[in-house]
Amino acid sequence: MTERRQLAFVGGIVTLALAGVGYTLWSGNEPLLGLDLQGGASVVLEPTRPAADDDLDLAVEIIRNRVDGLGVAEPEISTQGGNVLVQLPGVDDQQRAIDLVGQTAELRFRPVLETIDEGSYQAAVTVGESNSGGGAGVEVTTEAIETAEVTEARFALTSDAGANQEAVLAQYDPDRNIMFRHRLGPTGVTGEALEGADSRFDTLSGWFVAPKFRSGVSGIDLFNALGEECFMRVGTCPTQRVAIEIDNEVVSAPVIQQDEAVFSPFERSNITITGGFTQSEAEDLALVLDFGALPVELEAQQSRIVSASLGTDALDAGIVAGIIGLILVSLYLLAYYRLLGLVAIMSLAISGALLWTIIAWLGESQGLALTLAGVTGLIVAIGVSVDSNVVYFEHLKEDVRAGRSVRSAVDRVFPIAFSTIVKADVASLIAAAVLYFLTVGQVRGFALYLGVATILDLVATYFFMGPAIWVITHRSGPGADTTRFGIADPAAAGMEPVR
């Protein structure tokens, strides 16, 4: 190739690297750090009963939508065996996020059959205990004891409230104390009838949730039938009240007024759910209702909150390791290959600048996080790049030792060495691709950045290292001192020239 073409390659890739760094600084792009580098929350959710793979996949999708609604960048949500792994980097309120992702949010509207306040229930329990000697000194009649025992049994909480059966569920105050116990009839409407939900604020009632029902027989018509049934106080709804149940808890049990008994299709969003919510509670409830209930009930088995300081320490350690590695590699290259080593260091700098530009752009525009595993992949990529340089340099040294001039050796060796480099890098790319597509979590980050760095190594080798060494050696003249390139003088070593 001509010198002009070689210089064009070198100038082009140097300009590209400088332009990339300039664009990154000008645009303010920065790498998006993962959970282990900026802190956050991690939780392993386990189904309370055996779940099919389809149910777990649907749960992952619903949780991902909820997390997106929270505004968490680059969450890692995946199945892990029979569990669901959720990693949320950079969240301020970690416990709130953990509670939100695992909430089943199974919404049901049930007719209220009977209600008792917690004080009356506990009084009945006390009277009942007196019959078994637990309430010594308390004088009660047999009739009162029997009535109390019936009340206690009638309003004992139901642990698993099935949709098609009666249930006794509690309504709690903000401090999680039971206020009322409601005996409820079978479910009249489920969350499947919802189209969405919003959190709103009213000066009189405070924060509330406004569900919007679907139109037609599968949505608002179902609620209208339940509302009319309760307004008319038929036998299945004698109290004129409808309980709003979420995850086996009653959040409110409003009385159906005349103007609320029937909603037209245009009033599908006029229904409200009140329950003394705070702003965050109303927003979270609206969020989980908006994206639907989880198909399986999940319990947190392992939860971990990573502080930002631990993430900073991990990042600092990774940076220090990378700098130390670069310094040692650079010293080795300069000591062993002299001018060739300097070219190799410049090649590493160019591929590093391009890599930084790509990482920052991916983090800013695509939400792709850089984890500690990704940092490890980048450090490993330094070795991949150095290997490429060593392959070329050693081929070059062998030819010069065999008697060829540096200029003729460069012309002959680079195509051969580059072919070897391509084969070696393709092997690394295959390993990175297998890891990326067949694994989950941070291993994918390691594979991705190792693969990107390996591709950039090929680019830097072909467009900078090869052309730069070609220009240097061809401008040095036929009688150039080979020791400048870390190559012993063939004549001094007593080597015969190549015939």
Side-chain angles (χ1 to χ4, degrees):
M1 292 188 287
T2 64
E3 182 175 348
R4 179 177 297 178
R5 184 179 180 184
Q6 303 284 15
L7 288 173
F9 282 169
V10 172
I13 194 170
V14 170
T15 301
L16 180 63
L18 293 176
V21 172
Y23 167 74
T24 301
L25 296 175
W26 172 78
S27 63
N29 288 350
E30 293 182 353
L32 176 63
L33 302 182
L35 171 68
D36 50 1
L37 296 182
Q38 67 167 315
S42 174
V43 60
V44 176
L45 301 171
E46 182 181 30
T48 57
R49 55 178 174 80
D53 291 342
D54 291 344
D55 288 339
L56 288 178
D57 291 340
L58 180 57
V60 167
E61 187 63 29
I62 292 174
I63 291 174
R64 181 175 288 111
N65 290 333
R66 293 180 184 178
V67 171
D68 290 342
L70 279 176
V72 179
E74 190 60 18
E76 182 66 39
I77 306 168
S78 59
T79 57
Q80 192 178 70
N83 301 331
V84 177
L85 172 65
V86 182
Q87 294 184 321
L88 308 174
V91 291
D92 296 326
D93 192 341
Q94 293 98 335
Q95 192 57 52
R96 174 195 172 195
I98 290 176
D99 294 340
L100 178 66
V101 297
Q103 184 177 352
T104 308
E106 188 171 8
L107 173 66
R108 295 170 181 167
F109 293 86
R110 291 176 179 263
V112 178
L113 304 179
E114 291 180 276
T115 296
I116 187 173
D117 64 84
E118 185 62 11
S120 299
Y121 177 79
Q122 292 301 329
V125 171
T126 301
V127 172
E129 288 177 348
S130 67
N131 189 36
S132 58
V138 179
E139 296 183 3
V140 291
T141 65
T142 302
E143 182 180 358
I145 291 174
E146 291 177 350
T147 301
E149 290 177 344
V150 169
T151 300
E152 182 179 355
R154 193 173 186 81
F155 287 96
L157 296 180
T158 304
S159 59
D160 185 14
N164 298 318
Q165 61 188 24
E166 292 186 5
V168 177
L169 301 178
Q171 183 176 351
Y172 296 85
D173 65 15
D175 296 324
R176 297 296 299 168
N177 298 313
I178 297 178
M179 297 188 300
F180 302 101
R181 294 171 182 248
H182 301 281
R183 193 166 66 85
L184 310 175
T187 301
V189 186
T190 68
E192 294 180 358
L194 289 188
E195 186 177 276
D198 294 313
S199 59
R200 299 177 186 174
F201 180 78
D202 182 78
T203 53
L204 296 178
S205 59
W207 284 96
F208 64 92
V209 176
K212 183 177 181 181
F213 286 85
R214 304 180 189 275
S215 60
V217 295
S218 62
I220 190 63
D221 290 353
L222 289 173
F223 184 84
N224 284 340
L226 178 61
E228 185 175 4
E229 179 181 302
C230 288
F231 177 71
M232 299 300 294
R233 290 181 180 266
V234 298
T236 53
C237 187
T239 63
Q240 200 178 345
R241 300 170 67 189
V242 172
I244 302 170
E245 172 205 340
I246 297 176
D247 291 346
N248 288 343
E249 292 183 11
V250 175
V251 296
S252 63
V255 175
I256 298 297
Q257 304 294 338
Q258 184 172 3
D259 59 346
E260 297 172 344
V262 176
F263 288 84
S264 71
F266 302 102
E267 298 175 310
R268 292 179 292 134
S269 59
N270 289 346
I271 303 168
T272 61
I273 300 175
T274 58
F277 301 123
T278 64
Q279 179 178 356
S280 62
E281 289 172 343
E283 290 174 347
D284 290 349
L285 177 57
L287 187 63
V288 294
L289 293 181
D290 197 24
F291 294 111
L294 297 180
V296 293
E297 184 178 354
L298 300 173
E299 290 183 344
Q301 294 301 308
Q302 301 175 20
S303 59
R304 179 170 62 101
I305 294 177
V306 181
S307 69
S309 60
L310 290 177
T312 300
D313 292 343
L315 179 60
D316 291 343
I319 292 175
V320 169
I323 292 175
I324 292 175
L326 280 173
I327 291 175
L328 293 176
V329 167
S330 299
L331 291 175
Y332 170 78
L333 290 173
L334 288 174
Y336 198 72
Y337 293 110
R338 310 291 176 84
L339 193 55
L340 296 180
L342 180 61
V343 173
I345 294 172
M346 294 175 65
S347 179
L348 283 173
I350 288 174
S351 60
L354 294 174
L355 187 59
W356 179 260
T357 301
I358 293 173
I359 292 174
W361 179 80
L362 288 175
E364 193 70 25
S365 63
Q366 305 299 315
L368 188 64
L370 175 64
T371 64
L372 189 59
V375 173
T376 305
L378 298 179
I379 295 175
V380 171
I382 296 175
V384 174
S385 299
V386 171
D387 285 345
S388 299
N389 291 274
V390 170
V391 166
Y392 180 31
F393 297 163
E394 289 301 318
H395 272 77
L396 186 60
K397 289 173 69 173
E398 288 297 324
D399 264 35
V400 172
R401 287 170 180 167
R404 286 190 174 86
S405 67
V406 176
R407 293 177 60 177
S408 64
V410 166
D411 291 334
R412 175 182 177 275
V413 166
F414 183 73
I416 300 173
F418 187 71
S419 176
T420 303
I421 293 169
V422 168
K423 294 180 178 67
D425 282 356
V426 166
S428 296
L429 288 174
I430 291 174
V434 170
L435 285 175
Y436 184 83
F437 289 108
L438 298 184
T439 60
V440 296
Q442 296 188 6
V443 177
R444 297 187 73 189
F446 170 85
L448 174 64
Y449 288 112
L450 176 61
V452 171
T454 301
I455 293 174
L456 290 179
D457 170 60
L458 290 173
V459 173
T461 298
Y462 188 82
F463 290 100
F464 179 80
M465 186 187 71
I469 292 178
W470 190 97
V471 172
I472 292 173
T473 54
H474 280 70
R475 288 191 173 185
S476 298
D481 182 9
T482 58
T483 58
R484 296 169 51 196
F485 305 104
I487 304 173
D489 186 355
M495 297 180 181
E496 294 292 331
V498 175
R499 302 297 182 186

